[in-house]
């Protein structure tokens, strides 16, 4: 049997008697939120429950460990917010008062969704469902724990510009699109595809995660909605439009936009009133015309104008003859303003297609050149009037009215970013942020990023300052160089406690006529540095005595008792059905 007391409840690695996990930084004294399963609960006599990872409208996800295979897993619990309650004594889940009908209906939807997904375990781009357990008034789904990072973190972490080329994006994202087609064929619409629910595993391939029942992904339902701004389609906000495969098409198009352009698309609700979603000229010039065409048609606001199926979008993104023909007939205003592409003639010639592409590129180049000239002239005329600059050196902040906005990563995620030194040496970070450090002493490893002054996910101007609070490790204090041997016990104790040590005094049998209360020995070396709070034992002469056997026996017994106390471990709470 695995000793769960020695496991980190965040990463499930054996950390022995350590208080702080050296792998992920989780502290063993951390408490679980009272509404959710306690740490070290065991489900079905097999699955050990760890740290709460996330929760939304239909349930919660925990880190877990399969005690049979000893592999890490994720545990998804049906626990709809506001509709379910938990008995703190036996951990049973039940409907809140008056919520029995919808609780049971949504639980059936939850079980049906995950049962369908379990039957699709062969799909390489899909998270694997390992087990489904019904009990305790609810349902638990056991899935594989994917060792990797979200697509969003992958883009921020591994690329200096925050986006990647179509050549790199295509092999990563096209399997996702194919898997979406299989899901749609099985009657499953994800409704939550986003850079946060797509995980880039260590093998470089993407897995689709973040599944929830449809009520969670609709603004008007009995459950708390979870919609991803910029990625949720217009119909998910409750505008009396049907949802379907085209809803995932919009989200996938938004993910592709983020991957290729480097910024989140404007939210669908805002685009209805004022559609400002554009493909910047430098990208429109570099991307294949058929990819732009696919993006434009996947990101249409109204479902009736949007691509309806995965097969149609895959054709457009795979440069099929029909897709190339459509792309060849695109107008440059359609590219920039994201209007629907004009239909192509039935049989366009290759020369005509190539001529149209050249025309598009020329128009873009001329337009960009004109804009640059206008901006330079405007800057020369207007900036001195605003700043009062008559040729002297001016503001060095680099701010402009069209300054690029950059999304702040989660620098405290050690698995993605490492320590402070790793962060400041990263190409993407050095290109887009000015990192400042605020150091503090604490129990974390030196260099660990503890907090940041700007919340992750916030968009800020390029080259902005981000302040990171960084651990200096445990404060080091010096054991007095002069030592404490020969000092009176009270004097030595005060000296060491003032320096930051935790002092324990033990007495030594005095059979040689030594002065009582004088320090004879210390467990630490003089002149050496130790972490603040380090325990030190001072051995002090006792009363002069000629009898040693009894005292020695008592001392041995006391040491044995101390050892027993140190080896005591708390038992885990075991919930078995």
């Amino acid at each position: 049997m695995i000793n769960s007391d020695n496991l980190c409840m965040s990463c499930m690695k054996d950390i022995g008697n350590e208080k702080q996990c050296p792998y992920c930084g989780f502290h063993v004294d951390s408490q679980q939120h009272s509404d959710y399963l306690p740490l070290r609960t065991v489900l079905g006599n097999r699955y050990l429950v760890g740290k709460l990872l996330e929760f939304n409208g239909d349930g919660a996800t925990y880190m877990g460990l399969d005690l049979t295979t000893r592999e890490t897993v994720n545990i998804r619990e049906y626990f709809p917010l506001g509709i379910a309650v938990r008995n703190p004594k036996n951990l049973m889940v039940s409907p809140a008062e008056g919520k029995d009908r919808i609780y049971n209906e949504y639980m059936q939807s939850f079980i049906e969704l995950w049962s369908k997904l379990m039957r699709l375990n062969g799909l390489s781009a899909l998270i694997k469902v390992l087990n489904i357990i019904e009990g305790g008034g609810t349902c638990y789904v056991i899935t594989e724990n994917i060792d990797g990072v979200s697509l969003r973190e992958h883009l921020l972490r591994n690329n200096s510009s925050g986006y990647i080329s179509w050549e790199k994006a295509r092999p990563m994202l096209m399997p996702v699109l194919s898997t979406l087609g299989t899901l749609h064929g099985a009657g499953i619409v994800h409704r939550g595809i986003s850079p946060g629910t797509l995980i880039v595993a260590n093998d470089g391939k993407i897995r689709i995660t973040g599944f929830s029942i449809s009520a969670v992904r609709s603004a008007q339902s009995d459950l708390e909605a979870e919609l991803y701004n910029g990625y949720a389609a217009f119909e998910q906000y409750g505008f009396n439009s049907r949802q379907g495969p085209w809803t995932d098409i919009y989200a996938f198009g938004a993910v592709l936009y983020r991957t290729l352009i480097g910024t989140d698309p404007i939210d669908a609700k805002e685009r209805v009133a004022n559609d400002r979603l554009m493909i910047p000229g430098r990208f429109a010039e570099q991307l294949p015309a058929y990819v732009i065409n696919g993006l434009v048609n996947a990101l249409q606001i109204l479902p009736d104008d949007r691509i309806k199926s995965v097969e149609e979008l895959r054709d457009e993104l795979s440069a099929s003859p029909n897709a190339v023909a459509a792309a060849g007939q695109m107008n440059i205003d359609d590219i920039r303003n994201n209007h629907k592409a004009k239909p192509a003639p039935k049989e366009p010639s290759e020369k005509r297609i190539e001529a149209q592409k050249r025309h598009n590129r020329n128009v873009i180049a001329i337009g960009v050149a004109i804009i640059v000239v206008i901006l330079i002239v405007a800057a020369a005329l207007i900036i001195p009037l605003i700043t009062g600059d008559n040729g002297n050196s001016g503001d060095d902040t680099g701010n402009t009215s069209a300054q690029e906005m950059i999304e702040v990563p989660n620098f405290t995620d050690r698995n993605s970013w490492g320590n402070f030194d790793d962060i400041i040496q990263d190409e993407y970070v050095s290109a887009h942020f000015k990192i400042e450090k605020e150091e503090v002493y604490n129990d974390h490893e030196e260099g660990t990023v503890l907090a940041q002054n700007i919340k992750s996910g916030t968009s800020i101007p390029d080259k902005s300052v981000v302040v990171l609070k960084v651990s200096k490790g445990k404060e080091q204090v010096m054991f007095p160089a002069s030592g404490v041997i020969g000092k009176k016990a009270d004097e030595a104790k005060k000296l060491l406690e003032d320096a930051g040590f935790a002092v324990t005094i033990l007495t030594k049998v005095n059979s040689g006529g030594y002065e009582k209360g004088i320090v004879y020995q210390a467990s630490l070396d003089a002149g050496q540095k130790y972490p603040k709070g380090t325990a030190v034992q001072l051995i002090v002469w006792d009363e002069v005595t000629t009898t040693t056997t009894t005292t020695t026996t008592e001392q041995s017994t006391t040491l044995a008792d101390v050892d027993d106390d140190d080896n005591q471990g708390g038992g885990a709470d075991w919930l078995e059905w």
Side-chain angles (χ1 to χ4, degrees):
M1 178 65 69
I2 296 174
N3 183 3
S4 66
D5 291 337
N6 293 336
L7 296 179
C8 168
M9 289 293 100
S10 178
C11 65
M12 293 297 171
K13 292 182 179 177
D14 192 330
I15 59 173
N17 295 322
E18 294 286 339
K19 286 289 187 180
Q20 186 116 24
C21 178
Y23 304 104
C24 69
F26 185 78
H27 199 282
V28 297
D29 294 333
S30 299
Q31 297 296 311
Q32 197 89 294
H33 191 288
S34 59
D35 288 342
Y36 298 97
L37 287 173
L39 298 173
R40 295 183 173 81
T41 302
V42 174
L43 302 174
N45 200 29
R46 177 169 179 175
Y47 300 104
L48 179 68
V49 176
K51 175 185 174 183
L52 175 69
L53 300 177
E54 60 180 0
F55 62 89
N56 66 359
D58 71 355
T61 302
Y62 308 86
M63 186 65 181
L65 181 71
D66 186 332
L67 297 173
T68 300
T69 65
R70 302 197 175 189
E71 293 180 348
T72 56
V73 295
N74 285 349
I75 301 171
R76 181 72 178 170
E77 177 187 39
Y78 174 67
F79 191 76
L81 292 173
I83 294 178
V85 293
R86 190 188 309 277
N87 186 321
K89 294 181 179 179
N90 59 19
L91 305 182
M92 296 283 287
V93 179
S94 60
E97 185 175 356
K99 303 292 185 179
D100 299 64
R101 181 185 60 80
I102 58 175
Y103 178 90
N104 292 326
E105 285 180 2
Y106 286 144
M107 185 161 71
Q108 288 307 308
S109 298
F110 184 91
I111 295 171
E112 181 181 355
L113 168 65
W114 289 101
S115 297
K116 286 181 177 180
L117 290 172
M118 193 172 186
R119 291 193 288 271
L120 298 173
N121 271 347
L123 299 178
S124 61
L126 189 64
I127 188 173
K128 287 182 173 55
V129 181
L130 306 175
N131 201 353
I132 299 175
I133 304 172
E134 294 184 53
T138 185
C139 176
Y140 294 90
V141 177
I142 314 301
T143 66
E144 65 175 330
N145 177 56
I146 300 172
D147 193 4
V149 298
S150 69
L151 175 60
R152 181 180 298 281
E153 286 294 335
H154 175 80
L155 293 172
L156 292 174
R157 180 73 178 86
N158 293 301
N159 189 275
S160 60
S161 58
Y163 59 86
I164 59 178
S165 66
W166 168 242
E167 288 72 23
K168 291 183 179 179
R170 179 173 179 169
M172 291 180 66
L173 291 175
M174 291 305 282
V176 173
L177 187 60
S178 296
T179 298
L180 281 178
T182 304
L183 289 174
H184 295 164
I188 301 172
V189 180
H190 190 290
R191 299 178 174 87
I193 296 295
S194 74
T197 56
L198 298 178
I199 303 300
V200 182
N202 286 343
D203 60 7
K205 298 179 181 179
I206 291 181
R207 307 289 193 277
I208 304 174
T209 68
F211 287 92
S212 284
I213 63 176
S214 61
V216 175
R217 299 284 161 69
S218 302
Q220 297 179 351
S221 75
D222 296 308
L223 296 182
E224 183 174 316
E226 182 185 45
L227 302 180
Y228 299 99
N229 289 340
Y231 301 89
F234 177 73
E235 57 268 24
Q236 292 179 259
Y237 290 96
F239 295 101
N240 297 321
S241 297
R242 284 192 314 115
Q243 297 180 29
W246 51 89
T247 305
D248 283 346
I249 295 293
Y250 185 93
F252 182 86
V255 167
L256 183 58
Y257 182 96
R258 168 65 184 84
T259 303
L260 298 176
I261 309 302
T263 58
D264 290 326
I266 300 170
D267 191 63
K269 300 192 306 298
E270 297 180 26
R271 293 182 61 203
V272 171
N274 180 17
D275 190 2
R276 296 176 287 108
L277 183 63
M278 297 185 296
I279 298 176
R282 68 182 187 275
F283 295 103
E285 174 67 17
Q286 296 170 2
L287 290 171
Y290 58 85
V291 174
I292 297 175
N293 191 55
L295 272 176
V296 169
N297 291 331
L299 287 172
Q300 289 296 307
I301 299 173
L302 299 179
D304 289 344
D305 296 332
R306 197 181 308 147
I307 291 174
K308 292 296 190 294
S309 70
V310 163
E311 291 73 18
E312 186 180 352
L313 179 57
R314 186 166 50 218
D315 283 346
E316 294 204 7
L317 295 178
S318 300
S320 70
N322 288 338
V324 173
Q329 289 303 302
M330 289 179 65
N331 183 283
I332 191 64
D333 291 332
D334 292 325
I335 295 176
R336 290 195 166 189
N337 299 316
N338 199 26
H339 294 308
K340 189 173 179 65
K342 295 180 179 180
K346 292 183 179 179
E347 296 181 2
S349 68
E350 293 183 5
K351 291 184 179 179
R352 182 175 181 181
I353 293 170
E354 187 57 36
Q356 183 64 42
K357 289 182 179 179
R358 287 197 301 271
H359 171 72
N360 289 348
R361 290 195 290 267
N362 291 338
V363 171
I364 292 171
I366 293 170
V368 170
I370 292 172
I371 291 171
V372 169
V373 172
I374 292 173
L375 289 176
I376 292 173
V377 173
L381 294 175
I382 297 173
I383 291 177
L385 296 177
I386 296 174
T387 64
D389 184 359
N390 294 317
N392 299 323
S393 60
D395 182 13
D396 63 356
T397 61
N399 292 330
T400 69
S401 59
Q403 188 167 6
E404 185 178 0
M405 301 299 286
I406 301 296
E407 184 176 298
V408 179
N410 181 12
F411 289 119
T412 62
D413 183 351
R414 192 171 181 181
N415 290 330
S416 298
W417 289 95
N419 60 24
F420 179 79
D421 288 340
D422 296 325
I423 291 171
I424 61 175
Q425 293 170 14
D426 184 85
E427 288 184 14
Y428 177 80
V429 174
S430 59
H432 295 294
F433 300 98
K434 295 179 180 178
I435 302 295
E436 294 184 359
K437 178 166 64 171
E438 177 186 324
E439 292 186 298
V440 294
Y441 288 110
N442 71 354
D443 291 339
H444 286 77
E445 179 184 340
E446 184 177 358
T448 300
V449 178
L450 307 172
Q452 55 195 72
N453 69 325
I454 301 177
K455 185 179 179 182
S456 62
T458 304
S459 293
I460 62 176
D462 194 18
K463 299 291 188 183
S464 294
V465 174
V466 176
V467 181
L468 303 182
K469 183 177 288 186
V470 181
S471 171
K472 293 174 67 174
K474 249 189 171 176
E475 184 176 357
Q476 299 289 308
V477 292
M478 180 180 287
F479 198 87
S482 59
V484 293
I485 307 302
K487 294 183 182 295
K488 292 184 177 180
D490 292 343
E491 178 185 347
K493 184 172 186 288
K494 184 177 187 308
L495 177 66
L496 294 176
E497 287 180 339
D498 289 346
F501 293 94
V503 182
T504 302
I505 295 179
L506 302 177
T507 58
K508 180 175 177 62
V509 175
N510 188 348
S511 60
Y514 297 103
E515 183 180 350
K516 175 188 175 183
I518 298 299
V519 177
Y520 162 73
Q521 188 177 358
S523 60
L524 300 180
D525 296 328
Q528 298 297 313
K529 286 188 175 182
Y530 299 92
K532 191 173 184 178
T534 297
V536 56
Q537 291 182 339
L538 300 180
I539 300 178
V540 178
W541 290 116
D542 201 350
E543 298 273 5
V544 177
T545 179
T546 57
T547 304
T548 60
T549 304
T550 302
T551 307
T552 303
T553 302
E554 290 176 354
Q555 183 178 358
S556 300
T557 303
T558 303
L559 292 174
D561 290 342
V562 171
D563 288 342
D564 285 344
D565 290 340
D566 288 342
N567 290 329
Q568 286 180 355
D573 293 326
W574 301 85
L575 177 63
E576 299 179 5
W577 295 326

